[in-house]
Structures are given as C-alpha cells and as structure tokens.
Amino acid sequence: MITKKVKLSFWQILNMNVGFFGIQYSFGLQQSAVTPIYDFLGASPDQIPILHLAGPVTGLLVQPVIGAISDKTWSPKFGRRKPFFLIGAILCSLTLLAFPFSSSLWMAAGLLWVLDAGNNTAMEPYRALIADKLDDEQQPLGFQMQSFFTGLGQVLANLSLFIFPLIFIGMTGSLPTWVYASFFLGAFCSIASILWSISKTKEIPPTEEELAKLKSEKRSVLGPLLEIISAIKDMPKVMWQLALVYLFQWYALFCYWQNSSKSVALSVWNATPENTKAYSEAVGWTGLVNGWYNVVTFLVAFALVGFAKKYSPKKVHAFCLIIAAIGFLAFPQIENKNLLFFAITGFGIGWASMMGIPYLIVVSEIPKERYGVYMGIINMMIVIPMILQTVSFGFILKKFLNNDPRLAITFAGILLVIAAVLTLFIKSKKAPENVVTMPIGGH
C-alpha cells in the first residue's frame, strides 16, 4: 500500500486526469447546446437567462460543500475523492441520456439542474486529487494535464454540434436528431472517462494520526457551511478586489454563451429559431467557432504564465480582457461566417487568462491550510455574477436591448472593458514564481 507521495510517470498522470475530459465535454454541451434546445422548445429570448439559473446556483452550493466534505472523507475500499467522481459521473450520464427526450421547456430546465449538480460534484474533488497525489515538482504537470483535457473536452463537444447535424438530419420528437447524438456521446464520455481514471488511480490513504483526527471530529450537516462562512470573514482584501472584477467578467461571459448562436444566426444567416434548418446551421457553425476559442486557449494558456512573471499577473489579465472585449464588440457585426474565427480568437486569449491568471494574483495571500475552501470560494465568486445575470439580464435584454442577441454580445464586450480597468486597481503581493495556472473549467 502506498502511504506517501511517489513520483508518477507521464502516463500515470494522464490516466489520472482522463475523467476531466468527460466533465468538460458535458460542460461544453451546456455552454453551446442548451440554449438552442430551449429555443427549439419555444423559449422567448427574455426567458433564456432565468432558464440557465441551474449552473451558477449548483456551482455556488455544490463545489465548496463537496470540496469540504471530501477533505474529511476516507473509505479503505472507495478512497477519498473517487466516490464523488463516480456519483457525479453517474448523475451526468443519466441526465445526458434523458435530456434529448425533453418534451417541454421546464423538463429541459429541470434536467439541467441535475446535470450541473453532477458535473460540479465530480469537478471539485478532481482538483484536490492533484494536490493529494503529486508532489510540488509534479503538480504543474498535473494541472497542465487538466487544462489540456478542459480544452479538448470542450473543443470536441462544440465540434459535435457542427459535425452531427451533417450526419443526423431531420427531427426526432421536438428536437433535431443531432441533439440526441451529441448528448448520447456525452453520456458515454462522462462515465467511461471517469471509470478509466478510477481504475488506473490509487489514492494515498491518510496516516494513522490523520485517520484518528478524521474519526474524532464531530460531523454535522452545517459543518462545511460554517467553515465556508468563517473563511469568507477572514478573506484577504485582494480576493474582495478580484470579486469585483469577476462581477463584470463572468456576467459578460454568461451573456455571450447564452446569445452566441442566435447572434450568429441573425448576423450571418438572417435566421431565427423558427427557421429550423438555417438556425441549426448557425448553431453548428457557432459550435465550430466556440471550439476554436478553446483551441486558442490551450495553445496560449501557459505562455501567459511567463508574461505574468515578467509584467505582473494583473497587467496580463487586464490586457487579455481588453483583447476579449474587442472580439466581443466585433463579433455581432460580422456577416461573413469565416471571419467569426478571427473575432473569437480574442476571447480564446481572454479565456486562457481567466482560467488561471487571477489565481496568480491572489495565491500569495491565501493561507495554505485553507487552500481547499478558498478554491471553493473563488468558484462562488464566479457563479454569483452568473446568478445575478440569470435573474436580471432578461429584463435588460427586453427593455433596453430590444431582445436582440447581437446587442447582448456588444453589452458583454463593454462589461469586459470595465473588468479590465478594475483589474488594474488590484493591489496584491508579488506572485510566487513556481505557481502555474490552475484550470477553472466551467462553474
């Protein structure tokens, strides 16, 4: 029995992280396919934001709580993190299988809640597994591997939205047949990739002292919540400053993800969801475009770390936000579908920064003994703006933006400019040189 960290081979680290691919494939479908499904089921534009409430709410509740619970879990048979991977994967796979059979708008919305809860249940312990298994020297490779599978999973999910409509033509029930193919493949990837990682990875058991401490601790339903509240009270000032940046940054991203397909449909195809054939083409092309920004992301993400060391993380993040904002401002003005790739490249660079550079801004001021809970709180800082967006943007879109998805993308670009300016006002200690980007991946 391995009771301490040992050096792992490249392939052992890869096998350990294969499950992250399935999680991110599922998140890719949520980002790019769920809004078109809502459209096919008859949702009005101002209903779309509130129908996406599941993602941010489950991210707010599930990730920090599961992270805290898994820290205090150990089973000689099942381990510490792997039970949560498996539970999350089963939930995801069953929900992905059921999703295309949604007969109504509210059935699809309800299934999204279950799907997102499953994804978040699997994701938070997956990050902790890297710290559990790998020493300081190999942790960068572990996190790089998660970044790779984040990009790969979301790229392939978006490619499925482009390729499958060319193969699976027509309607099945209320939805196009390609929806069934994409979600069934997602169900397979979710459970198969997690089972692969579980079968190839052994967890390190706690020492006798750690086990005794785990057994002696009083357990309560409110325990994880009390720990989160305590950590928020003690939160460093720099995290509050980052939270303000995140308010505008993540509000903007949800505006883009909800409206990108419809914006492309109007600007390039001059089509609405009522024109099923043309709109399906637009959804497929948007999937290809979104797949490209994820390719850009994993190509440039780690190059940004070098720039962050040279010029400071906040300057690099502010610059990347401006590049992303320019892309968003150009995106709804483009009528040539091929030129969309140039605009979205800016977002790919910005997304690469969002995945890790903010962590470099705050890491030097986070106490190591509360690393797990503060990673959960950073995720809360991501999803709270998303919750605000889902409950407020429908009103903004209807009353001020004329229910025009193209104006929603422009609005997102303006918010990213504000986030970039606020980033420059963050004051933090110098980031340590041995820190690497840490993948966020979804919510």
Side-chain angles (χ1 to χ4, degrees), residues 23-24 34 44 76 93 95 103 131 220 222 249 252 278 366 408 438:
I23 296 170
Q24 293 304 321
V34 169
S44 62
S93 293
T95 310
S103 57
S220 70
L222 298 178
Q249 174 181 302
I366 295 176
M438 186 172 178

Side-chain angles (χ1 to χ4, degrees), residues 66-87 121 125-126 128-129 131-133 202-207 210-211 213-214 219:
I66 291 296
I69 292 173
S70 68
D71 280 341
K72 301 181 184 298
T73 296
W74 177 255
S75 164
K77 184 176 181 180
F78 300 108
R80 169 176 283 140
R81 315 295 182 185
K82 291 196 289 187
F84 298 95
F85 303 161
L86 186 58
I87 292 168
T121 297
Y126 227 120
L129 183 66
D132 291 345
K133 288 281 292 181
K202 293 184 181 298
E203 295 194 66
I204 300 174
T207 64
E210 290 169 338
L211 199 55
K213 186 178 179 181
L214 283 175
R219 304 297 176 92

Side-chain angles (χ1 to χ4, degrees), residues 162 166 260-273 275-289 331-332 334-338 340-341 406:
F162 174 75
L166 304 177
S260 56
S261 293
K262 286 185 287 188
S263 175
V264 171
L266 282 173
S267 64
V268 178
W269 273 267
N270 194 27
T272 63
N275 185 342
T276 304
K277 185 178 184 298
Y279 186 64
S280 290
E281 290 179 17
V283 170
W285 193 259
T286 306
L288 198 62
V289 169
F331 193 86
I334 294 172
E335 297 180 359
N336 183 323
K337 65 180 182 180
N338 295 309
L340 291 170
F341 291 99
R406 294 166 295 186

Side-chain angles (χ1 to χ4, degrees), residues 113-381:
W113 282 83
V114 181
L115 177 61
D116 213 281
N119 275 328
N120 281 290
T121 297
M123 179 177 292
E124 183 64 25
Y126 227 120
R127 295 179 184 139
L129 183 66
I130 298 297
D132 291 345
K133 288 281 292 181
L134 303 179
D135 61 19
D136 292 343
E137 183 181 341
Q138 289 198 308
Q139 282 180 9
L141 178 58
F143 288 128
Q144 285 183 23
M145 201 71 74
Q146 287 194 352
S147 293
F148 170 78
F149 281 120
T150 295
L152 181 64
Q154 295 202 12
V155 166
L156 293 182
N158 283 290
L159 280 177
S160 78
L161 304 187
F162 174 75
I163 295 171
F164 286 169
L166 304 177
I167 302 171
F168 303 98
I169 300 169
M171 302 287 288
T172 301
S174 304
L175 298 172
T177 306
W178 63 261
V179 172
Y180 292 77
S182 293
F183 277 73
F184 289 175
L185 180 58
F188 172 78
C189 290
S190 182
I191 192 66
S193 63
I194 288 288
L195 288 175
W196 179 272
S197 289
I198 288 175
S199 68
K200 298 292 183 179
T201 305
K202 293 184 181 298
E203 295 194 66
I204 300 174
T207 64
E208 302 250 346
E209 294 78 11
E210 290 169 338
L211 199 55
K213 186 178 179 181
L214 283 175
K215 291 179 178 179
S216 66
E217 287 182 350
K218 292 182 179 179
R219 304 297 176 92
S220 70
V221 175
L222 298 178
L225 295 177
L226 294 175
E227 171 62 18
I228 293 167
I229 293 170
S230 173
I232 291 174
K233 288 180 179 178
D234 299 334
M235 199 161 74
K237 181 180 178 181
V238 66
M239 287 188 66
W240 289 107
Q241 294 172 324
L242 182 63
L244 184 60
V245 173
Y246 272 11
L247 174 63
F248 292 91
Q249 174 181 302
W250 289 97
Y251 195 110
L253 296 198
F254 236 36
C255 291
Y256 171 77
W257 287 326
Q258 291 171 3
N259 292 279
S260 56
S261 293
K262 286 185 287 188
S263 175
V264 171
L266 282 173
S267 64
V268 178
W269 273 267
N270 194 27
T272 63
E274 289 74 28
N275 185 342
T276 304
K277 185 178 184 298
Y279 186 64
S280 290
E281 290 179 17
V283 170
W285 193 259
T286 306
L288 198 62
V289 169
N290 286 340
W292 171 245
Y293 85 68
N294 280 287
V295 171
V296 173
T297 292
F298 68 70
L299 289 177
V300 307
F302 295 101
L304 294 181
V305 179
F307 288 114
K309 290 178 182 178
K310 186 174 181 179
Y311 299 108
S312 88
K314 73 175 184 181
K315 289 180 181 177
V316 170
H317 189 57
F319 177 78
C320 291
L321 287 177
I322 291 294
I323 295 296
I326 292 171
F328 277 0
L329 293 172
F331 193 86
Q333 311 303 321
I334 294 172
E335 297 180 359
N336 183 323
K337 65 180 182 180
N338 295 309
L339 295 180
L340 291 170
F341 291 99
F342 292 97
I344 210 61
T345 295
F347 179 41
I349 295 170
W351 184 233
S353 180
M354 295 172 202
M355 287 175 65
I357 299 299
Y359 174 76
L360 297 178
I361 296 173
V362 302
V363 67
S364 60
E365 298 185 36
I366 295 176
K368 291 182 179 179
E369 64 273 13
R370 304 184 94 170
Y371 181 85
V373 70
Y374 276 120
M375 287 304 101
I377 290 171
I378 288 176
N379 191 68
M380 293 171 67
M381 289 158 49

